[in-house]
Amino acid sequence: MIKKYTFGTPFPTESIVVPIEPSQGLPEYGEINLEDGFTFTYHMDPEDLVYGLGEANRGINKRGYVYTSNCSDNPNHLEDTVSLYGAHNFIVVSGVLTFGLYIDYPSSLTFDIGFTRTDELVIHCQETDLDLYIIEGDDAYHITRQFRKMIGRSYIPPKFAFGFGQSRWGYRTTEDFLEVARGYRDNHIPIDMIYMDIDYMEEYKDFTVNKEFTDFPAFVENMKKDGIRLIPIIDAGVKIEKGYEIYEEGVKNNYFCKKEDGSDFIAAVWPGYTHLPDVLNPEARKWFGSKYRLLTEQGIEGFWNDMNEPAIFYTPEGIQNIKNKMKAFITQEENKDDVWHIQNQVMSLANSPADLASFYHNINGSMVCHEKLHNLYGFNMTRAAGEALQSISPEKRCLLFSRSSYIGMHRYGGIWTGDNKSWWSHILLNLKMLPSLNMCGFLYTGADLGGFGADTSRDLLLRWLALGVFTPLMRNHAALGTREQECYQFEHVEDFRHIIGVRYRLLPYLYSEYMKAALTDDMFFKPLAFDFPGDSMAANVEDQLMLGGELMIAPVYTQNAKGRYVYLPEEMMFIQFLPDGEISEEILPQGHHYISVPLNVVPLFIRQDRCIPLADVAECVSQINTDHLKLIGYKGSSYLLYEDDGYTRDYDLKGNCRRVG
Ligand code: GLC
């Protein structure tokens, strides 16, 4: 049961696809105050848990902190970070009363979940134009599934996108990419994708390739023959450069975001000064999307959209402002405060709220300030691509994921969780975000394995890969200037070969569970409590997840740990993929256990009376043979396998399922 309450004149975000008739009056849950913006207050019971918020910091249970939905280009995911790249305003309060709440509001919105006052949930935003949805159901899981139906089917990638991908900021030439391909193929470490970060472009100009690629289509084709797809990045900012076709067309047709005076807004990102395509304007969105064809025509079958919060390093106005302040600073006798002040001024040049409030979108002929719909930019950049790719290739699926997002974008593409660090705590953060993202429709998702910023270590990468084995998007990515972290850079490459090999063995199962989840608006990863709602112990587990209908995962995320404690809500079979290719099986009773997990072992748990199919190791997805599947798990059980061609868009649960075992 979903009730909708409309306040003021909400911006039509298009986040939901099933229209809900507005209810009269006020919601039964919480109190609403419209005096100073919009405030929703709910008094929580000490035992209430709060799930949701998609891409957000901290726990699976969000209680005890404050989170602001305000898409932010922030590479420092610290414990006190309140905003990441996405804005996903869906929560479920689970306890004395259990209900879901979705606030469809595309500007900054704060969820104070027992932070200011431990017993209060306070949701606040400045304007009173929004839709509030209250979702009732049997429990948190049931409520989530109803919400998922309302927001529409999650994006479905091609099957190759479930393979392993290698990325690094800095690969520039054909030789750079070939070296990575050789590194993997020569060491027999499975791989399906190599990502092309900004240096593949000519001076960071979207939809161009640099001069090092003398025959790009042939290069793309040859890589494909080797079972490797190249996946280029597309940034939001279009370089300002006379003669650059995209810049010229955008200016001529008024397809870029404008300043109040009607001139094109200027923002600096990697290429220097750029204009931002006005992806909120359907005509401009269509135009920007049509440019993806420039690369699909050359054989490209996947993209990652970046810098689409949008990220702004600085603007000419911001620079002028600093220069004025610098002049005063230089001529005056400085004191300590002036030094701090000038430092802060320089630091706050990037992504400044003033800049984000200084440009406008053309919404049906009216100029609407970006600030009012900030959280929709990444969504609509990816929608531009998703809609265009659908018309460019109506038959074939295309890989697509984004950095910034809002609920609704999950229908067009996946997301990766942005610039994390090579920190042990970020393995756990990665794990905790997964079920929350699934609640909000983002099924095709994963983190930069090994960590993006800072130098990784061999053990960190191995442990992180052992989680990444299960995430639909499995990609190793690192920042420019950090330690090289391709798997073949480390000693004992056989350990990496083994761990990634396990991903390929599990792939028929993972793909099958992904497709079932997508086609039935279900979750791929769940908190334990969603499957065991009556188990108070399960409700507190923050470092294990249920996966699909059969598995529980419990990765190791602590340096030098030889294993970890796990909680089993029911009897389960503990499986270890051992480095010699053998699989150890041990039935463990319900309760707490310590499990030993060496660095080169992938652990998982199979639920009671269930089993999963396993393929032989393959070096790329197309080589996986699903005619020879072996079952592991409880004797006498069978598994319903979903299998399709992996690339056409006519998915059908009925026609594509067969029972194995
Ligand atoms: C951003 C992206 C990162 C990428 C870098 C250079 O920081 O989040 O993944 O490597 O830009 O393009």
Side-chain angles (χ1 to χ4, degrees):
M1 166 77 145
I2 304 184
K3 285 189 182 157
K4 172 182 177 180
Y5 301 90
T6 297
F7 298 87
T9 316
F11 184 82
T13 64
E14 299 184 61
S15 65
I16 72 159
V17 294
V18 178
I20 309 283
E21 281 303 310
S23 294
Q24 298 304 316
L26 290 172
E28 286 160 48
Y29 303 88
E31 290 142 34
I32 286 172
N33 186 323
L34 300 176
E35 262 157 40
D36 175 22
F38 172 91
T39 310
F40 172 93
T41 308
Y42 178 73
H43 293 276
M44 296 185 287
D45 181 80
E47 296 303 311
D48 284 354
L49 276 80
V50 180
Y51 296 105
L53 292 185
E55 187 178 15
N57 208 357
R58 300 235 177 177
I60 294 176
N61 178 2
K62 302 299 273 197
R63 203 165 164 161
Y65 206 56
V66 62
Y67 312 86
T68 300
S69 292
N70 183 36
C71 297
S72 301
D73 163 33
N74 178 1
N76 297 310
H77 309 170
L78 305 168
E79 206 168 315
D80 60 352
T81 299
V82 296
S83 303
L84 294 170
Y85 308 88
H88 309 143
N89 305 331
F90 172 56
I91 57 169
V92 178
V93 177
S94 171
V96 173
L97 296 178
T98 297
F99 62 96
L101 191 148
Y102 172 52
I103 301 207
D104 198 2
Y105 175 77
S107 189
S108 180
L109 175 72
T110 294
F111 291 80
D112 181 335
I113 310 181
F115 174 68
T116 304
R117 278 191 60 89
T118 48
D119 60 348
E120 272 187 359
L121 160 67
V122 181
I123 305 173
H124 177 76
C125 59
Q126 263 174 14
E127 308 282 331
T128 50
D129 299 310
L130 54 88
D131 285 318
L132 163 67
Y133 297 85
I134 298 281
I135 306 141
E136 289 176 322
D138 304 338
D139 54 33
Y141 186 25
H142 182 220
I143 288 168
T144 300
R145 278 176 296 163
Q146 290 185 67
F147 174 67
R148 289 279 308 283
K149 287 234 162 349
M150 177 173 82
I151 60 172
R153 180 193 281 174
S154 298
Y155 160 76
I156 294 178
K159 195 170 182 186
F160 73 77
F162 289 80
F164 171 76
Q166 179 63 54
S167 186
R168 180 178 175 83
W169 174 7
Y171 301 154
R172 195 173 60 85
T173 64
T174 44
E175 188 42 38
D176 291 340
F177 292 95
L178 287 170
E179 193 184 315
V180 179
R182 278 197 300 269
Y184 277 89
R185 289 282 177 249
D186 291 355
N187 285 295
H188 301 287
I189 309 171
I191 188 165
D192 269 83
M193 289 154 290
I194 302 179
Y195 288 83
M196 309 184 93
D197 205 325
I198 46 174
D199 301 283
Y200 82 89
M201 295 185 235
E202 180 66 23
E203 293 176 359
Y204 309 135
K205 282 182 280 184
D206 278 340
F207 309 109
T208 66
V209 297
N210 73 42
K211 296 195 178 65
E212 299 286 336
F213 297 95
T214 44
D215 186 346
F216 190 63
F219 183 60
V220 173
E221 189 51 35
N222 284 337
M223 283 294 224
K224 261 194 236 178
K225 282 194 186 127
D226 195 18
I228 294 174
R229 261 114 175 157
L230 293 169
I231 312 294
I233 195 170
I234 302 292
D235 281 351
V238 170
K239 185 173 166 57
I240 297 178
E241 188 186 280
K242 282 252 159 299
Y244 167 40
E245 180 191 304
I246 311 215
Y247 160 78
E248 296 285 358
E249 284 179 15
V251 170
K252 188 168 131 232
N253 297 300
N254 292 312
Y255 286 155
F256 293 127
C257 294
K258 301 274 187 194
K259 293 206 303 189
E260 204 172 5
D261 65 8
S263 62
D264 290 327
F265 173 68
I266 299 173
V269 213
W270 304 122
Y273 282 131
T274 66
H275 290 321
L276 292 171
D278 186 359
V279 286
L280 271 299
N281 165 4
E283 219 183 291
R285 182 164 67 232
K286 194 159 184 217
W287 163 76
F288 189 72
S290 72
K291 299 299 168 195
Y292 284 76
R293 188 187 281 276
L294 296 171
L295 290 167
T296 58
E297 275 173 354
Q298 304 187 62
I300 291 299
E301 294 176 62
F303 298 91
W304 48 310
N305 281 347
D306 192 21
M307 309 301 275
N308 51 6
E309 292 68 34
I312 297 178
F313 295 165
Y314 53 87
T315 57
E317 294 80 7
I319 291 286
Q320 192 51 52
N321 187 21
I322 287 280
K323 282 187 177 165
N324 296 343
K325 295 216 161 98
M326 286 280 192
K327 272 186 207 141
F329 179 71
I330 288 163
T331 49
Q332 279 158 23
E333 179 113 344
E334 82 267 20
N335 62 38
K336 178 171 105 302
D337 290 344
D338 291 337
V339 175
W340 293 133
H341 183 68
I342 204 82
Q343 187 189 18
N344 283 338
Q345 290 281 320
V346 176
M347 297 293 285
S348 56
L349 262 181
N351 305 312
S352 100
D355 286 337
L356 290 167
S358 73
F359 68 92
Y360 293 79
H361 298 275
N362 175 355
I363 308 289
N364 300 324
S366 307
M367 301 301 274
V368 178
C369 181
H370 175 77
E371 195 187 23
K372 289 204 184 302
L373 36 81
H374 171 68
N375 292 337
L376 295 177
Y377 193 85
F379 168 8
N380 282 281
M381 179 194 174
T382 301
R383 180 178 173 185
E387 287 175 342
L389 293 167
Q390 170 83 41
S391 74
I392 292 167
S393 133
E395 302 294 319
K396 248 172 65 182
R397 306 173 213 172
C398 198
L399 171 57
L400 180 62
F401 59 90
S402 172
R403 192 169 72 175
S404 186
S405 60
Y406 186 81
I407 287 172
M409 201 215 86
H410 69 285
R411 301 191 296 270
Y412 300 95
I415 50 176
W416 96 101
T417 50
D419 298 349
N420 59 12
K421 291 246 165 40
S422 299
W423 294 345
W424 290 87
S425 60
H426 279 186
I427 302 185
L428 193 53
L429 183 61
N430 178 187
L431 178 140
K432 289 178 185 196
M433 251 188 254
L434 292 166
S436 313
L437 285 165
N438 279 201
M439 287 175 73
C440 298
F442 295 94
L443 297 185
Y444 189 75
T445 182
D448 288 348
L449 302 174
F452 174 74
D455 290 340
T456 201
S457 58
R458 181 178 184 275
D459 55 349
L460 176 66
L461 178 56
L462 279 169
R463 290 297 197 200
W464 212 330
L465 287 168
L467 166 61
V469 155
F470 301 104
T471 60
L473 166 60
M474 184 188 188
R475 180 178 78 146
N476 174 341
H477 179 45
L480 189 71
T482 59
R483 179 180 183 178
E484 293 182 319
Q485 68 182 44
E486 296 83 6
C487 295
Y488 53 82
Q489 306 282 3
F490 299 91
E491 67 268 30
H492 292 295
V493 288
E494 66 274 15
D495 290 343
F496 294 90
R497 179 187 312 139
H498 168 62
I499 294 209
I500 297 175
V502 170
R503 160 64 163 224
Y504 283 70
R505 299 198 70 186
L506 288 169
L507 212 137
Y509 173 73
L510 298 173
Y511 181 71
S512 166
E513 288 304 298
Y514 184 95
M515 293 302 290
K516 287 186 207 169
L519 295 175
T520 60
D521 303 314
D522 205 337
M523 296 167 76
F524 180 82
F525 289 116
K526 279 164 283 177
L528 267 55
F530 278 34
D531 276 336
F532 300 93
D535 182 335
S536 58
M537 202 67 85
N540 292 318
V541 176
E542 288 270 341
D543 59 356
Q544 303 171 200
L545 297 176
M546 303 309 294
L547 188 169
E550 286 71 23
L551 300 187
M552 183 180 82
I553 61 166
V556 176
Y557 51 87
T558 315
Q559 189 157 35
N560 299 320
K562 303 261 183 273
R564 55 163 290 170
Y565 287 93
V566 287
Y567 173 67
L568 270 53
E570 63 180 9
E571 180 200 289
M572 289 184 183
M573 187 181 281
F574 174 41
I575 300 284
Q576 296 184 74
F577 289 89
L578 304 172
D580 60 2
E582 291 299 308
I583 294 168
S584 103
E585 303 180 350
E586 184 187 357
I587 291 185
L588 298 176
Q590 188 273 343
H592 288 95
H593 300 271
Y594 180 83
I595 54 165
S596 294
V597 187
L599 266 180
N600 51 9
V601 161
V602 180
L604 62 80
F605 295 84
I606 301 183
R607 291 189 64 178
Q608 196 168 18
D609 297 328
R610 306 192 190 185
C611 66
I612 63 164
L614 214 56
D616 290 338
V617 179
E619 288 192 33
C620 65
V621 171
S622 61
Q623 285 171 7
I624 297 174
N625 183 350
T626 54
D627 293 334
H628 288 113
L629 295 173
K630 160 187 167 150
L631 289 179
I632 53 165
Y634 283 84
K635 298 269 166 305
S637 56
S638 63
Y639 175 71
L640 191 67
L641 180 77
Y642 174 95
E643 200 184 5
D644 60 15
D645 60 23
Y647 68 92
T648 58
R649 293 184 192 257
D650 51 359
Y651 343 92
D652 170 22
L653 213 48
K654 283 207 193 78
N656 291 319
C657 284
R658 68 179 155 106
R659 198 151 274 286
V660 288

